[in-house]
Amino acid sequence: QVQLQESGPGLVEPSQSVSLTCTVSGGSITAAYHYWAWIRQAPGKGLEWIAHVFANGDTYYNPALQSRTSISRNTPENQFALRLTSVTPEDTAVYYCARTDNNLLVEYWGQGTQVTVSS
């Protein structure tokens, strides 16, 4: 069974950077035919794709967030991470990590972690 678990700081001040980690069990982040994604949902909003990384390390970023976003992998720990810089209150959301199939359809979700940007 594939399980994903997000971890992060919870509360962060505007202009700071947020680093989130997704720990994966039951499957390898280097296995073929899967993408590993970060997705968020702000209050009252729909889901927003942030970024993903493929098994071979290729990455994709949402153009609306690309300048402030980086996705990375820690393969020995079977983890991948999201870094979002220069955050504003508009970045307040529940952040999810997920595994997708080769067509970017989500197969597994983490439970989500709340990120609140406030001074």
Side-chain angles (χ1 to χ4, degrees), residues 10-31:
L11 181 65
V12 63
E13 294 186 349
S15 82
Q16 299 299 301
S17 297
V18 173
S19 294
L20 306 175
T21 299
C22 184
T23 299
V24 178
S25 62
S28 173
I29 63 172
T30 61

Side-chain angles (χ1 to χ4, degrees), residues 4-12 18 20-21 37-51 65 82 84 88-98 109-117:
L4 303 93
Q5 184 173 13
E6 304 91 342
S7 63
L11 181 65
V12 63
V18 173
L20 306 175
T21 299
W38 285 100
I39 305 159
R40 71 181 184 182
Q41 186 167 34
K45 300 270 191 172
L47 296 168
E48 181 180 30
W49 203 273
I50 302 170
L65 301 169
L82 177 74
L84 183 65
T88 74
E90 287 69 44
D91 293 311
T92 294
V94 177
Y95 286 72
Y96 299 92
C97 58
W109 295 85
Q111 81 287 343
T113 186
Q114 175 72 43
V115 174
T116 299
V117 181

